[in-house]
Amino acid sequence: MRKIIVSRLLLTVAISLTLVGCKRSGSGSNTSRATGWQINSKDGGFQYNTKFKEQETAPGLVFVEGGTFTMGRVQDDVMHDWNNTPNQQHVQSFYMDETEVTNKMYLEYLDWIKRTYPPEEENFRAIYNGVLPDTLVWRNRLGYNEVMTENYLRHPGYGEYPVVGVSWMQAVEFANWRTDRVNEMYLQKDGYLKQGSNLEATADANFSTDTYINAPTQTFGGNEDIIKGGKMKPQTNAAGDEINVFATRETGLISPKYRLPTEAEWEYAALGLSEIRSYNVYRGRKKYPWDGQYTRSGKRKIKGDQLANFKQGKGDYGGIAGWSDDGADITQVVKYYDPNDYGLYDMAGNVAEWVADVYRPIVDDEFNDFNYYRGNVYTKNAINDDGTVKIVTTDEIVFDTLPNGKVIPRDLPGSIATQPVDEEETYLRTNFDRSDNRNFRDGDTQSSRYYADRFGDDEGDGSEDANTRKMYNAPKHNIEMDSSGNMIREYDKSNKRTSLINDEVRVYKGGSWKDREYWLDPAQRRYYPQNMATDYIGFRCAMSRVGSKSKNQKKSKN
């Protein structure tokens, strides 16, 4: 009997020692499993958010769980574009705006730009003018649309209508601005920035996410009252040095960037395939964001009502007065029609939408079928001689003149200057070897067909160098400023041009209030110059998801 008791005592001691050993080995969330040292200690060691659970859904967005789908044509190609051949793609989980960006949202952007870079100052005038939507897109030589030209952007009656007249380039800048404002709000809430810092922004002292990450002491021009003046009292280590003064990516507080969705993401989100899924397979194909093959509702209460805002037929933009087919003649207020299964509104109709991709007639799924995107231009931060990142100041703004004559800043004051990657980043790499990859495998010298015999002088300057000739021989308009500041416009009149496709045309997706039913199919693809705008193209933003693919994923015990 005594032997049994002693054996049990020894077993208990052994188990206790084992547990102690496990504890010492670093199984706790604040103990490193690599070294055994404490994480987040007050001695100023490694700081990391060990309590992070899941990415917070940023303002305006809804979650779209990624997966595989057939990207491309569902119906017959009646236009004979041959630009959307079906191909299998996989998209990672991401977030997308539940509606198009509205006039009210864009006006908030204009207000911030106007307060921060007053257009009354000559050095800033081009900044404000460069982000203004083109309200003249409403004009028609044989139509009276001045009420939209004068009121559509700013009148409260159109506040919740999708913004139009915005170029692809302006949409990208809006997304960048939105990233900074949202992260500024997060950092204020957590005490890393002074409350109300957003109202103290000036041209020389404002918040930029990239600047805060790479050179936090230079945020708001280095004003410590703002970047250290919040509710959070900086912690100090044993030596009395301040720690945890600035939020880093390791804190999990800094949101990924708002951006335009890729074409694959937009099409995947528009289809809303979850409603036709059963046992992890899809029941057939979908033509529209809603289930079914028709644009009219089959539900009893709203039977016959149109499910999107589009052009019904010649001279019919909204139906008979008093009995409107789709409730709108031009654009419609957002959330007027039912969302698809992801909770996204107007993924067909209302306005077509810019996506991030450079247009090509093919989707090169032979090279890549995961998060497909054509348009990568890799850059890096510009570095000063002393090794610090170069922050753009008001005296160093560089302006670019676009082919349509619009002048825009390359980088805003307060942001980090960037430059193309070079051999330091590309040498002996196998995954990329250049900065600009927009025409990779389609239009570059590695894949071009030389048309010297057929088209002769490509540049219109007497040269016939086939080595400079590209597959997409688009017009090349030129604008320069003379010594007096006058703009000299040179319109390309060459009769040797063979295409409108080049590296500056972007894809836009979805039908609009001005399009017939054919274009409501999410698979349809069209393109437009990235520096130009129309009265029927708007946009919405997306954001990548970090961490798990699904919100329902089983949590790790560690």
Side-chain angles (χ1 to χ4, degrees), residues 411-447:
D411 297 294
L412 290 176
S415 63
I416 297 177
T418 58
Q419 62 189 48
V421 299
D422 53 28
E423 193 178 43
E424 290 185 10
E425 288 77 27
T426 63
Y427 182 65
L428 291 184
R429 283 191 178 272
T430 58
N431 54 331
F432 72 99
D433 59 2
R434 69 190 75 176
S435 171
D436 190 345
N437 296 272
R438 290 175 295 178
N439 63 5
F440 178 67
R441 282 172 56 99
D442 191 26
D444 58 0
T445 54
Q446 297 178 32
S447 61

Side-chain angles (χ1 to χ4, degrees), residues 461-478:
D461 59 1
S463 67
E464 294 188 10
D465 183 5
N467 293 322
T468 64
R469 198 163 292 108
K470 305 297 182 183
M471 182 180 293
Y472 297 104
N473 182 21
K476 300 176 182 177
H477 310 304
N478 186 44

